[in-house]
Amino acid sequence: MSRFRFLAFLFVLFSTSMWARPLYLEDLPPKLKKCLVCHTTRSGPELNAFGRDYENAGLEIPLDVDSDHDGFTNAQELEAGTSPGNPHEYPGHRRFPWGWVMGLGAGLLTIWIAIKKRRSSS
Ligand SMILES: [Ca+2]
């Protein structure tokens, strides 16, 4: 296996979308179709407060509950596009998506290194 293919394999292996469960994500609005809405980390199985409430309600979104105790119901948060399981994100206040930026940077760096090595070997 060439280094380029190996790096591409690693990139796909560690991209979080590969492990997502689309069945659960279908219940969420388009802006919130991401693992961190229900989980504490992108790749881990541990659920946040909203994920636990969602699971305890039989995989129904508990709309009238404020799962993360930030003063907004899950319905208000889902409509605003903020995370109902993250108390630091609520309608009118969103955190900058540093995780997304870092993931994109790592992916671009991986591709740049693979291209540079391929050019130097030919
Ligand atoms: Ca929140």
Side-chain angles (χ1 to χ4, degrees):
M1 182 183 289
S2 72
R3 285 184 182 181
F4 179 75
R5 285 185 181 168
F6 180 70
L7 288 173
F9 170 76
L10 289 178
F11 182 73
V12 169
L13 181 65
F14 291 108
S15 65
T16 56
S17 61
M18 183 177 170
W19 305 108
R21 296 182 178 169
L23 180 67
Y24 299 156
L25 294 177
E26 287 177 11
D27 290 344
L28 298 170
K31 281 196 287 187
L32 292 174
K33 290 186 184 298
K34 53 187 179 181
C35 301
L36 286 176
V37 171
C38 293
H39 294 270
T40 56
T41 61
R42 286 201 169 110
S43 56
E46 189 177 341
L47 296 172
N48 62 26
F50 175 73
R52 286 191 300 273
D53 285 349
Y54 179 71
E55 187 176 64
N56 291 337
L59 303 183
E60 294 285 329
I61 296 176
L63 294 172
D64 295 332
V65 176
D66 177 10
S67 293
D68 59 8
H69 304 288
D70 60 4
F72 296 90
T73 65
N74 295 334
Q76 291 171 311
E77 295 224 49
L78 292 172
E79 186 169 329
T82 57
S83 176
N86 180 352
H88 302 292
E89 187 177 293
Y90 46 85
H93 183 267
R94 292 191 75 182
R95 292 188 344 183
F96 188 78
W98 286 112
W100 187 87
V101 171
M102 295 297 283
L104 178 64
L108 291 174
L109 181 63
T110 302
I111 291 169
W112 180 75
I113 290 171
I115 290 171
K116 196 163 175 78
K117 287 192 181 254
R118 191 170 194 183
R119 283 184 181 166
S120 68
S121 65
S122 61

